[in-house]
Amino acid sequence: SQQGEEDPQALSIQEGENATMNCSYKTSINNLQWYRQNSGRGLVHLILIRSNEREKHSGRLRVTLDTSKKSSSLLITASRAADTASYFCATDDSGGGADGLTFGKGTHLIIQP
Amino acid sequence: DSGVTQTPKHLITATGQRVTLRCSPRSGDLSVYWYQQSLDQGLQFLIQYYNGEERAKGNILERFSAQQFPDLHSELNLSSLELGDSALYFCASSPGALGANVLTFGAGSRLTVL
């Protein structure tokens, strides 16, 4: 079952612009992670935010978490062509469900040069 | 190179056949996870092993089975293959079994069933 849902499904912006992707989830979580996947390759971990955190930064990445709304956002600032990839949120279910880390279907981001 | 090694990279086989996918986790990681990625279903969790024992089970079909060996490598066996089993199969590893596990993914095995 899909816990997280990313929005939008696809996003195309100009190089240098900021890109914002959103993730909504359904159940209580321990933490939420964002991963990137280049076409046909393995996923790469970007950032983890715990349920008691509201915002986290890593380089050009900024992640927010609103547990009351069960949502998270990933902001990539000053986008580059190399940021073109699919971005997935993944949740760690605090209910002890046996779902491993549950991924959404992803946002496909295209950075136009 | 993520440190997680998956073989084979590509596999083409026929319906009804059986295949084995292999995964070596990153050095020091005790947990291995298997995921299936297809266009329509997204990334689906199949199963997790921790230090040789099954830890969690997801949407794994009865035709599929997995195990983790004493040297911590893992194999995913897919049998009686159907066209719908065509997908990318990812292995991931993490240090522990619980908690805030960050997964390190392999490059995947692309299975095509004809």
Side-chain angles (χ1 to χ4, degrees), chain B residues 6-23:
Chain B
Q6 287 189 249
T7 58
K9 285 188 168 47
H10 301 276
L11 195 52
I12 301 173
T13 188
T15 54
Q17 295 299 304
R18 171 191 168 95
V19 298
T20 297
L21 308 181
R22 195 179 190 278
C23 169

Side-chain angles (χ1 to χ4, degrees), chain B residues 6 12 14 29 42 49 51 68-69 76 80 82 86 94 104 107 111:
Chain B
Q6 287 189 249
I12 301 173
D29 285 355
Y49 281 84
N51 205 21
Q68 186 180 29
F69 296 87
L76 178 67
S80 302
E82 302 174 359
S86 295
S94 70
T104 301
L111 174 65

Side-chain angles (χ1 to χ4, degrees), chain A residues 87-113:
Chain A
Y87 291 82
F88 296 85
C89 67
T91 52
D92 186 354
D93 182 359
S94 67
D99 286 342
L101 204 58
T102 308
F103 288 81
K105 289 198 173 182
T107 291
H108 184 50
L109 175 66
I110 298 172
I111 308 299
Q112 309 273 8

Side-chain angles (χ1 to χ4, degrees), chain B residues 82-97:
Chain B
E82 302 174 359
L83 295 177
D85 297 327
S86 295
L88 259 173
Y89 290 85
F90 286 107
C91 168
S93 70
S94 70

Side-chain angles (χ1 to χ4, degrees), chain A residues 75-88:
Chain A
L75 168 68
I76 303 174
T77 60
S79 63
R80 305 168 183 169
D83 295 329
T84 294
S86 292
Y87 291 82
F88 296 85

Side-chain angles (χ1 to χ4, degrees), chain B residues 28-100:
Chain B
D29 285 355
L30 298 178
S31 269
V32 168
Y33 307 75
W34 286 97
Y35 283 85
Q36 179 194 56
Q37 186 178 38
S38 59
L39 281 174
D40 55 341
Q41 293 292 320
L43 203 63
Q44 296 285 322
F45 169 68
L46 297 179
I47 198 164
Q48 177 199 358
Y49 281 84
Y50 173 73
N51 205 21
E53 300 289 327
E54 183 183 304
R55 180 72 196 177
K57 211 165 187 174
N59 301 322
I60 187 165
L61 300 173
E62 284 192 12
R63 299 184 286 109
F64 296 180
S65 65
Q67 55 184 324
Q68 186 180 29
F69 296 87
D71 67 353
L72 301 177
H73 91 270
S74 178
E75 292 181 356
L76 178 67
N77 300 297
L78 315 174
S79 61
S80 302
L81 286 168
E82 302 174 359
L83 295 177
D85 297 327
S86 295
L88 259 173
Y89 290 85
F90 286 107
C91 168
S93 70
S94 70
L98 295 174

